Amino acid sequence: MATQAKRRRVAGLAGCEDPTPVAGFLRWCRRVGLELSPKVAVSRQGTVAGYGMVARESVQPGELLFAVPRAALLSQHTCSISGLLERERGALQSQSGWVPLLLALLHELQAPASPWSPYFALWPELGRLEHPMFCFQEPLEEEDDEKEPNSPLMVPAADVLNHLANHNANLEYSPNCLRMVATQPIPKGHEIFNTYGQMANWQLIHMYGFAEPYPDNTDDTADIQMVTVREAALQGTKVEAERLLLYERWDFLCKLEMVGEEGAFVIGREEVLTEEELAMTLKVLCMPAEEFREFKDQDGWGDDKREEDSLTITNIPKLKASWRRLLRDSVLLTLQTYATDLKTEQDLLSSKEVYATLSWREQQALQVRYGQKMILHQLLELTN
């Protein structure tokens, strides 16, 4: 799992394929037709966490790193109880779609003669016992976007790769196999990284037990609770009539399904992921009373979005002053929910000695908080 520098040099690649269980896994790969490029190796050396995959020779974008035949994939369709899972498909439906794969996985883990046994033997070295559900989901074709999502599956060799947002390899899907292909130049001795998806640090730590140090995770986000924006707007009211009108505006936004008591506006490093919801909220809460009445009578229709109201990160300084003020107040209230301020986090991160005294969990939690606060402080600068 990626936790430190993303490109640490390998001290030496001799003997990088450990006798066991890696050697057994590699023999199994050859037996099932899983082809590893001679330019790559499974190794502990030069990786950011435990085992990973490193380049034995320089690799260019577009080069094939390995190919996994579909017969080697572990899924509800390829396991030895696939017939049973298919018959019970209706009873096994869930929102995540993972139940059939979990049952397939549990069965194969306990089956003495499972064809995936050499693959499972590698799992303790990969930390899969702590975070076993490392799976992939094949995207639908554009013409099939109305269909149910494809079932999740386990991809041997692909889950050896550690994660970075700025990854240098990507999994491609074809009818006969899945191919891991380089997307950037990878110098000799550098680690090969895949992506586990576009995930903020809080999602990475929740699902995989680690966070990327700032500023590596370009997919990181910070949340502003929707009710926090309401609270910030209430701070600007002076009389009961204004407070009642604000709650009327909020109820209208709820009716439009733009806000909710449990919802959050999601702010990324380079974009507002909930742009439509946040823009409409700022607009409704800040518009003059008469304009709101007319807007409400039209149920939110008839008012075209103007370019100056676009809520992209680069356009935030150009927003109306009332919008920027409300957004800024919301950010300040959000920052107050943290137990420590940004400078405290910066001091911890800048002192290697102090940082080393923190436990693993404390270090990862610090990285999560720091990334979120940096995004929020960027918003403060943009709304100033």
Side-chain angles (χ1 to χ4, degrees):
M1 304 301 180
T3 57
Q4 303 296 328
K6 59 185 175 183
R7 285 185 174 175
R8 186 182 302 163
R9 288 278 182 186
V10 177
L13 286 171
C16 64
E17 295 175 2
D18 295 13
T20 56
V22 175
F25 170 68
L26 294 173
R27 285 195 298 271
W28 176 81
C29 288
R30 289 189 288 271
R31 189 165 68 246
V32 300
L34 198 165
E35 303 172 12
L36 262 67
S37 165
K39 290 188 174 184
V40 305
V42 177
S43 176
R44 270 190 188 277
Q45 300 181 62
T47 64
V48 295
Y51 275 99
M53 192 170 287
V54 296
R56 280 176 156 165
E57 302 175 28
S58 295
V59 177
Q60 298 304 312
E63 284 196 59
L64 178 67
L65 304 172
F66 57 83
V68 186
R70 286 191 175 267
L73 304 176
L74 173 54
S75 74
Q76 66 192 72
H77 305 296
T78 60
C79 69
S80 56
I81 58 169
S82 59
L84 173 62
L85 295 176
E86 178 61 26
R87 289 194 299 273
E88 300 296 330
R89 180 172 57 177
L92 300 177
Q93 287 184 343
S94 67
Q95 188 172 2
S96 68
W98 281 14
V99 173
L101 177 60
L102 279 169
L103 293 174
L105 178 58
L106 288 171
H107 174 79
E108 296 297 340
L109 278 168
Q110 298 175 30
S114 171
W116 288 279
S117 291
Y119 169 48
F120 297 146
L122 190 63
W123 277 24
E125 306 295 336
L126 298 175
R128 294 292 172 262
L129 299 182
E130 294 83 4
H131 303 280
M133 282 312 299
F134 180 84
C135 63
F136 294 81
Q137 197 160 24
E138 186 169 356
L140 293 169
E141 299 292 338
E142 286 187 12
E143 60 269 20
D144 297 333
D145 59 2
E146 297 296 323
K147 293 184 179 180
E148 289 291 317
N150 286 313
S151 303
L153 41 83
M154 312 292 290
V155 184
D159 57 7
V160 173
L161 272 63
N162 289 310
H163 163 92
L164 272 186
N166 185 27
H167 52 102
N168 52 20
N170 191 56
L171 192 64
E172 297 180 353
Y173 298 82
S174 63
N176 298 320
C177 66
L178 276 61
R179 306 167 72 250
M180 189 66 72
V181 177
T183 58
Q184 301 179 26
I186 307 173
K188 177 181 177 180
H190 284 207
E191 185 169 4
I192 299 163
F193 291 100
N194 187 24
T195 173
Y196 299 170
Q198 290 182 308
M199 293 187 176
N201 270 344
W202 73 264
Q203 294 170 306
L204 286 173
I205 201 168
H206 175 70
M207 296 184 68
Y208 301 108
F210 73 95
E212 287 194 65
Y214 186 87
D216 290 354
N217 191 356
T218 53
D219 297 319
D220 206 5
T221 63
D223 287 357
I224 298 176
Q225 297 301 311
M226 291 177 172
V227 293
T228 300
V229 179
R230 183 182 67 191
E231 183 181 350
L234 280 169
Q235 290 179 344
T237 60
K238 299 177 181 178
V239 296
E240 185 64 18
E242 291 179 349
R243 284 190 286 273
L244 291 174
L245 178 57
L246 190 135
Y247 278 113
E248 183 182 346
R249 295 171 191 252
W250 185 262
D251 290 341
F252 179 65
L253 287 167
C254 290
K255 179 184 175 183
L256 295 179
E257 298 184 346
M258 290 292 164
V259 298
E261 296 295 311
E262 303 297 326
F265 300 115
V266 184
I267 316 297
R269 297 253 298 269
E270 299 178 355
E271 62 179 333
V272 177
L273 278 68
T274 51
E275 179 185 357
E276 180 184 1
E277 293 82 355
L278 183 53
M280 179 63 77
T281 300
L282 295 174
K283 176 179 181 177
V284 169
L285 294 183
C286 294
M287 63 174 48
E290 290 185 9
E291 186 178 339
F292 168 66
R293 296 295 182 199
E294 182 180 349
F295 191 66
K296 184 180 179 182
D297 289 341
Q298 296 175 344
D299 282 331
W301 293 95
D303 189 76
D304 294 333
K305 181 178 178 181
R306 294 172 295 184
E307 185 177 346
E308 60 267 27
D309 294 342
S310 172
L311 208 62
T312 60
I313 291 293
T314 54
N315 199 58
I316 286 176
K318 305 173 187 175
L319 295 176
K320 296 174 182 176
S322 58
W323 290 32
R324 284 187 281 114
R325 183 166 54 250
L326 178 54
L327 187 54
R328 180 179 179 81
D329 290 344
S330 302
V331 172
L332 290 171
L333 286 176
T334 301
L335 287 169
Q336 290 176 15
T337 64
Y338 291 91
T340 55
D341 60 15
L342 183 65
K343 186 177 185 307
T344 301
E345 316 286 30
Q346 288 173 332
D347 291 343
L348 283 172
L349 288 168
S350 62
S351 173
K352 292 182 180 180
E353 295 79 9
V354 176
Y355 187 76
T357 65
L358 301 177
S359 69
W360 169 260
R361 289 178 179 271
E362 289 172 332
Q363 290 177 354
Q364 301 311 297
L366 173 59
Q367 295 291 352
V368 172
R369 295 194 308 271
Y370 185 69
Q372 292 173 346
K373 290 177 185 178
M374 288 298 290
I375 292 172
L376 293 171
H377 276 269
Q378 178 190 25
L379 261 186
L380 281 183
E381 293 179 8
L382 292 170
T383 55
N384 197 355

